[in-house]
Structures are given as structure tokens and as C-alpha cells.
Amino acid sequence: MSKKRLLSYITDDDLYKCVKNVVDPIQKAIKEKEQTLYDNVIDPFSAIFDSIINKKSLIQWINDEKSRQIQKTLQNEIGMFHQSLVGKIDGWEDLGKGQVVDLRNKNLKIIAEIKNKFNTTKGNHKVAIYDDLENRLEGYNEKWTAYYVEIIRKSKTKYCKPFTPPDNKTGQNRKEHPKIKVIDGESFYSLATGSPTALVDLYKILPKVICDITGHTIKMDKMYNILFEKAYNITL
């Protein structure tokens, strides 16, 4: 009898590879930061104000500063995590870095550009993404749809709607295109997998996978669930 998968829509091997591809660079960045923390001059005035006002020891403040400095690495890797994970699902292709779009599914006739959070991309850059998606669609027939995916959505309400970003040069939004849409992460994972609980299932299993890879053990704080519930308006 075959072993039951941790997630129905991706093999355990692929899941662990995708998570490891986030864990390894972050662990490397943390190790390097121990040696390079002071390469970028730390503001001692910020340290003294912040540590005293927030009742932190200076050691706590320095540890927080280390975490702050690796946040960009973390956010970049998490964005790639969603792209690579969806790319492992049957029917999906991860088109890699430097391409016009991130993902393609020939069966569902979908191309997609993934961003980790609704504000990851500045407004004026969203126009360029719209133009890229529109140009890319010209290479496909009318059955194809392009999605701009915001994994962490702006509101608690799910959405899949026309993508009409504002153009600050003209002062007008891009015109509605019936085949260019913006979609939140929960809705996109449901579309990509056929499972309405796909994103929730992923979130629930991640602590186990991360701990397996790092060798760490954690006590599951209820705040993990609260953070997800506040972001997606879903009760875990």
C-alpha cells in the first residue's frame, strides 16, 4: 500500500525540496549575518531609543536587527517557494527566473505571474506586468487566461477580477481585459489544485516539514493560526 501524501496535490519529495529551497538560503543568510552584521553601519541612536521604549535588552535588539536585515532574502525565497511548489503540481510548469511569466498550465490554459504579497510590487510596476501578460497572451489562442497572483491578499475577501492597474504616466488605469485577472493566493491554489482547502492544507503542514528539515522542534503557538486567520479570514 502506498504511503499517504502529506498534501494530496504534490508528492512529499517535491514538497520537501520546495521547503528546503527556502530553508537553506535563510540558514545561510543567518550564518553570514553573524559575521557581517556591522558591515552596514548600525544606527546606535535607533538602538538606544528602540531598546528602551520597547523594553528590550540590547542583545534582544541586536537579534531583532539581524532578523530585519535578512527579511528581504526571506521574502524573495518565499515568493519563489510558491512558484516552485505550484510548478511541481501535475500539469503545471515552473518557467523559472527571468521569464515573462512564472507558471504555465497547458491543460487549464493558464499563465501566471506570482507575487508573495499584494504590495510586493509598486503600482507603476504593475502596469509593466499587465503589459507583459497582454503581450504574452497574444502568443496563445483566446481560451488562455493570464493571472496576476497575490498570495497574501489585500483584504480578507477572496477575489478573482479584472487586473486594471493604474498608469501614473497617463493617470488612467489599464483597460479591462477579459483574459487578464488578478487573483488572491487562496483562490489561485484552489484553481491550481482543484482543492478549495489547498492553501490551508499547505499552511498546516509546513511546521512539520520545516522542523523535519532543520531538526528543530517547536511548540505550536496559537498565534500561528491567528496570523493566518487574520490574513485570510479563515478559521483553522
Side-chain angles (χ1 to χ4, degrees):
M1 182 180 295
S2 61
K3 180 182 176 183
K4 183 179 179 181
R5 292 180 176 184
L6 293 174
L7 292 172
S8 62
Y9 53 84
I10 188 172
T11 68
D12 290 356
D13 282 347
D14 283 339
L15 172 61
Y16 274 78
K17 285 176 185 175
C18 291
V19 174
K20 194 172 188 300
N21 286 340
V22 178
V23 170
D24 287 352
I26 298 306
Q27 288 186 321
K28 181 181 178 182
I30 292 170
K31 188 174 181 179
E32 289 176 347
K33 193 54 63 182
E34 296 288 340
Q35 301 170 340
T36 64
L37 179 64
Y38 299 100
D39 287 358
N40 294 322
V41 178
I42 291 177
D43 182 350
F45 293 94
S46 292
I48 198 168
F49 275 99
D50 192 13
S51 62
I52 294 173
I53 291 170
N54 288 296
K55 299 179 181 179
K56 300 177 183 177
S57 70
L58 195 55
I59 294 298
Q60 286 177 310
W61 187 90
I62 289 172
N63 286 333
D64 288 347
E65 178 65 10
K66 291 176 185 176
S67 296
R68 186 193 67 79
Q69 290 190 18
I70 67 169
Q71 277 301 302
K72 185 174 182 180
T73 300
L74 176 61
Q75 292 303 317
N76 288 340
E77 295 301 333
I78 291 176
M80 285 302 301
F81 165 73
H82 290 290
Q83 178 180 336
S84 62
L85 189 143
V86 174
K88 300 289 187 184
I89 298 169
D90 286 346
W92 285 89
E93 300 173 73
D94 177 0
L95 300 178
K97 294 182 180 180
Q99 301 300 312
V100 176
V101 292
D102 296 326
L103 294 162
R104 177 172 60 191
N105 187 308
K106 293 179 180 178
N107 296 325
L108 297 177
K109 294 181 171 49
I110 289 172
I111 54 174
E113 175 74 12
I114 290 190
K115 298 299 179 185
N116 188 49
K117 195 174 181 182
F118 67 90
N119 60 358
T120 300
T121 305
K122 294 180 181 179
N124 57 327
H125 294 162
K126 289 183 180 179
V127 171
I129 292 173
Y130 174 100
D131 293 343
D132 285 342
L133 292 175
E134 184 178 39
N135 290 335
R136 188 62 185 267
L137 275 178
E138 291 178 359
Y140 297 98
N141 63 42
E142 69 281 357
K143 294 182 179 180
W144 284 75
T145 303
Y147 289 91
Y148 175 67
V149 185
E150 299 172 331
I151 298 296
I152 308 299
R153 59 191 180 219
K154 187 174 184 178
S155 67
K156 293 183 178 181
T157 305
K158 293 189 289 187
Y159 50 83
C160 179
K161 59 186 180 181
F163 182 41
T164 57
D167 185 343
N168 58 8
K169 292 182 180 179
T170 65
Q172 297 181 334
N173 288 47
R174 282 292 188 265
K175 65 181 180 180
E176 279 194 20
H177 189 301
K179 293 294 185 176
I180 303 178
K181 301 179 183 296
V182 56
I183 188 171
D184 70 276
E186 181 190 0
S187 299
F188 182 71
Y189 264 86
S190 177
L191 175 66
T193 65
S195 169
T197 62
L199 190 65
V200 175
D201 296 340
L202 172 62
Y203 187 79
K204 285 180 177 179
I205 206 67
L206 274 178
K208 169 183 167 47
V209 179
I210 296 169
C211 286
D212 285 348
I213 290 170
T214 61
H216 298 165
T217 57
I218 61 167
K219 181 179 180 181
M220 284 303 296
D221 192 310
K222 65 180 181 180
M223 279 301 298
Y224 285 111
N225 286 355
I226 290 172
L227 288 173
F228 189 89
E229 290 169 359
K230 286 186 176 296
Y232 290 100
N233 197 30
I234 297 172
T235 302
L236 297 181

